[in-house]
Amino acid sequence: MDPSEVKKDLYPLIEPYDTGFLKVSDVHTLYYEQSGNPQGQPVAFLHGGPGAGTSPANRRFFDPEFYRIVLFDQRGSGRSTPHACLEQNTTWDLVADIEKLREHLDIPEWQLFGGSWGTTLALAYSQKHPDKVTGMVLRGVFLLRKKELDWFYEGGAAAIFPDAWERFRDFIPEEERNCFIAAYSKRLTSSDPTVQMEAAKRWTTWEMMTAHLIQNNDDINLGEDDKFSLAFARIENHYFMNKGYLPSDSYLLDNVDKIRHIKAFIVQGRYDVCCPMMSAWDLHNAWPEAELKVVPDSGHSAYEVGISAELRSSTDKLRDMLRK
């Protein structure tokens, strides 16, 4: 993919006007930043993974003259500390963190923008605090159900990416291949840092090799980035081992009625291997008021041409609705 193709569909890169750290527990401190219009419509960017952290490009989905853009790194991710920490790191801790950050920034209510795991977190937060959310944009829906985890981590997606799967699979002895998530958990929490790092790189590379319709070397190379891959793999695996800390497999779908009043846009790549379209479809069926846009020539990444164009279009639509 030519980066210039995506560039023309997004807003120009801007710098934050405010950065800071917020202590949210006796263990964790979050990095956050604000950019765009300080008096604008607040929007919180919820990154994926969990464990991926934010990047400057995340600011580019929003009209900087209209939006007050809030990015933050979730517990253990990016510039938040301690790095790759699993202690006190659950979905409900993160939901509480979002609320603490909203209060810290003196924001009465805000929009949410989330992709992949960010959709999981956006749904969990909005269902807990439906009066604090004015709109949502969700990309690559992930509901953290067993069938989704089985598809991606227990061999389903290997039918499409058998070459990428082999490196992920072969790190695990044959006798432990009945559950790759558990086998990787054992190694990602090993007392041997060398074992941890090799497991982290293989886990991360598997996801990055499947994240685009046409494989993207920049993403694949993140699998060799020690800092990124350690947080990404450890925190993802930790959440998946614990079923996202959700009360039931269908929890997020079962609680859609709490957020039915919120204007929402769902953007889904037709050929998303990481978060297959079945989840976006199930969410849309449970929540028909949420507009679903299926991008016919895209996979999972927010930075594929069709996906990025629809994400910007969705934030612009919410902007125009508020301007009326």
Side-chain angles (χ1 to χ4, degrees):
M1 174 183 61
D2 181 352
S4 65
E5 289 299 307
V6 173
K7 186 180 296 185
K8 69 184 182 184
D9 287 324
L10 297 178
Y11 287 98
L13 186 63
I14 56 174
E15 294 300 316
Y17 64 79
D18 173 52
T19 63
F21 289 90
L22 177 65
K23 190 166 182 61
V24 291
S25 79
D26 57 345
V27 174
H28 290 276
T29 299
L30 305 187
Y31 167 83
Y32 70 86
E33 64 175 51
Q34 301 187 81
S35 57
N37 182 353
Q39 278 72 52
Q41 168 65 32
V43 57
F45 181 94
L46 306 181
H47 68 69
T54 57
S55 70
N58 300 152
R59 307 167 197 147
R60 301 186 58 199
F61 295 105
F62 312 98
D63 179 348
E65 294 184 2
F66 181 80
Y67 282 107
R68 176 182 174 186
I69 307 158
V70 180
L71 271 59
F72 73 99
D73 293 332
Q74 297 159 27
R75 295 189 182 200
S77 307
R79 286 155 285 189
S80 294
T81 59
H83 183 68
C85 178
L86 306 182
E87 182 183 353
Q88 295 181 17
N89 201 336
T90 74
T91 301
W92 303 110
D93 289 324
L94 301 188
V95 166
D97 291 349
I98 298 170
E99 189 63 0
K100 289 173 185 175
L101 182 59
R102 184 191 65 78
E103 293 172 350
H104 176 73
L105 297 177
D106 196 25
I107 293 174
E109 56 187 14
W110 50 6
Q111 290 179 21
L112 301 179
F113 180 106
S116 195
W117 157 256
T119 69
T120 319
L121 188 55
L123 291 168
Y125 173 83
S126 62
Q127 290 172 6
K128 184 78 169 177
H129 301 283
D131 59 327
K132 304 303 181 188
V133 180
T134 60
M136 285 195 279
V137 177
L138 306 174
R139 185 269 310 165
V141 172
F142 180 44
L143 301 174
L144 231 165
R145 296 173 294 178
K146 183 179 184 298
K147 66 181 179 181
E148 296 168 64
L149 296 175
D150 286 350
W151 158 259
F152 194 65
Y153 292 105
E154 304 300 340
I160 300 172
F161 287 94
D163 47 349
W165 175 256
E166 278 192 5
R167 186 169 182 267
F168 178 83
R169 180 198 65 195
D170 291 352
F171 186 60
I172 304 301
E174 288 192 21
E175 62 270 18
E176 293 184 65
R177 292 181 187 173
N178 60 315
C179 182
F180 283 95
I181 292 176
Y184 266 91
S185 175
K186 178 180 174 181
R187 289 153 180 84
L188 288 165
T189 57
S190 169
S191 59
D192 184 341
T194 304
V195 172
Q196 271 197 39
M197 186 55 66
E198 182 61 25
K201 288 181 176 180
R202 295 204 184 212
W203 178 282
T204 303
T205 299
W206 161 240
E207 183 157 339
M208 297 304 157
M209 290 185 77
T210 59
H212 290 253
L213 182 63
I214 306 298
Q215 288 181 322
N216 179 281
N217 286 332
D218 289 342
D219 271 10
I220 292 171
N221 289 339
L222 287 172
E224 296 303 316
D225 181 318
D226 288 3
K227 183 177 181 182
F228 177 87
S229 62
L230 190 65
F232 184 80
R234 275 173 53 84
I235 297 172
E236 266 201 349
N237 178 272
H238 165 72
Y239 272 71
F240 300 164
M241 277 291 292
N242 290 284
K243 301 177 182 177
Y245 297 92
L246 299 176
S248 69
D249 199 54
S250 59
Y251 177 81
L252 297 174
L253 291 177
D254 292 343
N255 284 276
V256 161
D257 281 351
K258 296 177 180 178
I259 57 173
R260 200 174 293 279
H261 63 286
I262 299 171
K263 182 61 180 175
F265 296 90
I266 302 168
V267 177
Q268 179 69 37
R270 168 71 71 179
Y271 299 106
D272 187 335
V273 172
C274 301
C275 297
M277 188 180 143
M278 63 178 175
S279 296
W281 192 252
D282 290 346
L283 179 61
H284 179 59
N285 280 337
W287 189 10
E289 298 87 352
E291 291 188 31
L292 172 63
K293 176 64 179 182
V294 178
V295 184
D297 57 354
S298 294
H300 183 66
S301 174
Y303 297 99
E304 294 187 75
V305 175
I307 298 285
S308 62
E310 288 299 334
L311 290 173
R312 171 176 167 165
S313 174
S314 297
T315 64
D316 286 352
K317 287 176 184 176
L318 285 172
R319 174 200 65 193
D320 295 344
M321 289 169 59
L322 289 170
R323 278 178 170 169
K324 290 181 180 178

